[in-house]
């Protein structure tokens, strides 16, 4: 499998090199040059199979011969053995033709574990084989950070630097990161928002001199391996609800768009998907773009669903690349315009997107009402991100006959603010985290400046 950049001007890479990097050298994101496609029979045969088996079959074409089958199967088995549910990602029924895909049974209670448990093991495998060290830099609005730390901290080959926006993640989220006191883990609170943190990470890929030749690796969804591992649960959930014999639809709480882009990729690989619904919080750029062709930045708001407090959505670029018929020049021009001023999509790509995507956004007041209402109607206590999905699924679904699968992206115990505002006492953390609020924390606070962060990384890495 070869990988190309969405901006068309970076060298093609194989899987191993794509895994061990981040942004492409032209500022774009790597995507497969051609996508594998599953036949009807291949999809049908995955129904009822264990999650690890589906994961192997879905991901094998992306990794190709870079890793032998037995080793790859072993890494997959180990990754998903860390999940607390036998099904790894179970589905529960919410109502007629509406299902919740619970992606929060991993070690840090959010969907990020699905990809980052595997990514950490893959990185360790390849770096050990090469006898190389790497520096990870990641930006988090709350969930990627702890999942990346949990997935990578046991590797002797990695130093991990995670940037989170100061005082803009929940207390549980912050503590899940800052109470890991390993020698190779460094948490940095940035005096800014998630977009600032993500810009610093991307800026570091663009200029890596501060690392003196040590490899810089991404754990955010700019890394293709994150997307690859997330494709699996779309296939798993769909085939267990009757695909490919019937279509399904998905609603996805969205921001940096890696999650939904993985679902879109699954559909490009042959999974019959009737509709994708994009759910956003008040940071609604994805909804505005789709609904009113308003692809413009607005001030980033702090909401009750903090993990989705993002304006510059990395993976939307991958979707634009497909919508613009994989024309890297047009994608580069559009994104350059977006950085400077409001942008609009051309008619044909927008029409293509509207044929398969719908969207809705939900304010903080709406999130509180939906958490209450969903509990009253279904008995499920939704986290505030999943609440945006529950709302959007009901508001924007194309029909009532296609099964709708709403992705539950995090456990409510991570977001006490919203849960308490909705009138509940809170949600209990699992026993392994019962003393989280008493544990010692360590983190640095830095200005949102590339040079300050790079100097910190250069000073602290091993
Ligand atoms: C709990 C939760 N829900 C939804 C999202 C949005 O997912 P994505 O960025 O893949 O669109 C995130 C973070 O990205 C998250 O942590
Ligand atoms: N919501 C994310 C933001 C980063 O997204 P990623 O999928 O690109 O890692 C978070 O919780 O950190």
């Amino acid at each position: 499998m070869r990988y190309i950049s969405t901006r068309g001007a970076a060298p093609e890479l194989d899987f191993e090199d794509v895994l061990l990097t981040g942004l492409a050298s032209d500022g774009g994101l790597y995507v497969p040059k051609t996508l594998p496609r599953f036949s009807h029979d291949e999809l049908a045969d995955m129904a009822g199979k264990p999650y690890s088996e589906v994961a192997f079959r879905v991901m094998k074409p992306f990794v190709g011969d870079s890793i032998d089958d037995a080793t790859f199967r072993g890494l997959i088995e180990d990754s998903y053995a860390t999940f607390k549910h036998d099904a790894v990602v179970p589905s529960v029924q919410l109502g007629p033709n509406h299902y919740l895909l619970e992606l929060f049974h991993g070690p840090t209670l959010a969907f990020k574990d699905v990809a980052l448990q595997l990514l950490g093991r893959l990185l360790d495998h390849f770096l050990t084989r090469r006898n190389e060290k790497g520096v990870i830099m990641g930006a988090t609005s709350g969930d990627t950070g702890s999942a990346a730390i949990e997935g990578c901290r046991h590797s002797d080959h990695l130093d991990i630097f995670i940037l989170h926006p100061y005082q803009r993640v929940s207390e549980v989220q912050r503590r899940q990161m800052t109470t890991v006191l390993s020698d190779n883990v460094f948490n940095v609170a940035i005096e800014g928002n998630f977009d600032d943190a993500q810009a610093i990470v991307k800026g570091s890929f663009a200029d890596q001199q501060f690392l003196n030749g040590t490899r810089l690796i991404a754990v955010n969804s700019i890394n293709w391996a994150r997307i690859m591992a997330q494709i699996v649960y779309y296939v798993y959930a769909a085939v267990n609800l009757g695909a490919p014999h019937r279509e399904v639809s998905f609603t996805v709480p969205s921001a940096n768009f890696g999650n939904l882009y993985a679902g879109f990729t699954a559909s490009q690989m042959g999974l019959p998907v009737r509709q994708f619904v994009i759910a956003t919080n008040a940071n609604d750029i994805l909804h505005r773009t789709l609904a009113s062709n308003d692809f413009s930045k607005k001030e980033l708001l702090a909401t009750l669903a903090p993990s989705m407090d993002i304006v510059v959505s990395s993976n939307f670029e991958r979707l634009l690349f497909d919508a613009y018929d994989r024309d890297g020049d047009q994608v580069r021009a559009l994104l350059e315009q977006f950085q400077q001023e409001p942008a609009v999509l051309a008619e044909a790509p927008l029409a293509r997107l509207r044929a398969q995507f719908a969207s809705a956004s939900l304010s903080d007041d709406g999130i509180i009402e939906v958490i209450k209402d969903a509990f009253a109607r279904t008995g499920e206590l939704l986290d505030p991100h999943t609440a945006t999905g529950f709302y959007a699924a009901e508001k924007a679904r194309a029909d009532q006959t296609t099964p709708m699968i709403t992705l539950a992206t995090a456990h409510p115990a991570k977001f006490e603010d919203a849960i308490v505002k909705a009138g509940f006492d809170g949600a209990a953390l699992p026993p392994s985290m019962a003393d989280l609020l008493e544990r010692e924390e360590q983190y640095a606070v830095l200005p949102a400046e590339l040079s300050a962060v790079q100097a910190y990384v250069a000073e602290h890495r091993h």
Side-chain angles (χ1 to χ4, degrees), residues 112 139-145 194 198 219-221 226 256 307 310:
K112 310 287 182 173
T140 187
S141 51
D143 291 321
T144 293
F194 173 81
Q198 181 159 249
V219 283
N220 283 109
S221 52
R226 283 275 314 275
N256 229 10
S307 305
I310 297 175

Side-chain angles (χ1 to χ4, degrees), residues 314-346:
S314 284
N315 286 280
F316 198 56
E317 173 160 350
R318 285 185 166 123
L319 187 67
L320 290 173
F321 185 58
D322 292 318
Y324 277 85
D325 274 337
R326 301 199 135 208
D327 181 336
D329 290 338
Q330 289 203 55
V331 171
R332 186 178 338 105
L334 179 64
L335 290 166
E336 280 169 7
Q337 191 191 354
F338 170 72
Q339 287 304 339
Q340 314 300 331
E341 57 198 277
V344 290
L345 274 56

Side-chain angles (χ1 to χ4, degrees), residues 111-112 143 253-259 307-308 385 409-410:
F111 78 96
K112 310 287 182 173
D143 291 321
S254 292
N256 229 10
F257 209 66
N259 200 355
S307 305
M308 286 165 31
H385 307 80
T409 49

Side-chain angles (χ1 to χ4, degrees), residues 188-321:
V188 177
I190 293 293
E191 292 171 321
N193 58 36
F194 173 81
D195 283 355
D196 298 323
Q198 181 159 249
I200 290 171
V201 169
K202 289 184 174 175
S204 298
F205 277 97
D207 174 8
Q208 303 188 19
Q209 283 179 11
F210 70 107
L211 285 178
N212 269 335
T214 303
R215 179 181 287 281
L216 182 61
I217 301 170
V219 283
N220 283 109
S221 52
I222 55 177
N223 189 322
W224 172 259
R226 283 275 314 275
I227 308 294
M228 171 186 83
Q230 292 176 197
I231 297 169
V232 175
Y233 50 70
Y234 286 89
V235 176
Y236 180 79
V239 296
N240 288 316
L241 275 174
H245 310 290
R246 63 173 177 176
E247 291 184 310
V248 297
S249 293
F250 290 98
T251 298
V252 187
S254 292
N256 229 10
F257 209 66
N259 200 355
L260 190 24
Y261 189 74
F264 176 71
T265 306
S267 76
Q268 303 288 94
M269 292 167 67
L271 193 71
V273 178
R274 163 85 175 84
Q275 183 193 28
F276 289 107
V277 178
I278 301 170
T280 75
N281 62 18
N283 295 295
D284 61 353
I285 182 166
L286 296 169
H287 171 56
R288 278 187 285 117
T289 303
L290 201 68
S292 43
N293 199 5
D294 173 11
F295 186 38
S296 65
K297 291 186 197 168
K298 282 192 184 159
E299 187 193 348
L300 194 156
L301 305 170
T303 75
L304 286 174
S307 305
M308 286 165 31
D309 290 348
I310 297 175
V311 172
V312 180
S313 172
S314 284
N315 286 280
F316 198 56
E317 173 160 350
R318 285 185 166 123
L319 187 67
L320 290 173
F321 185 58

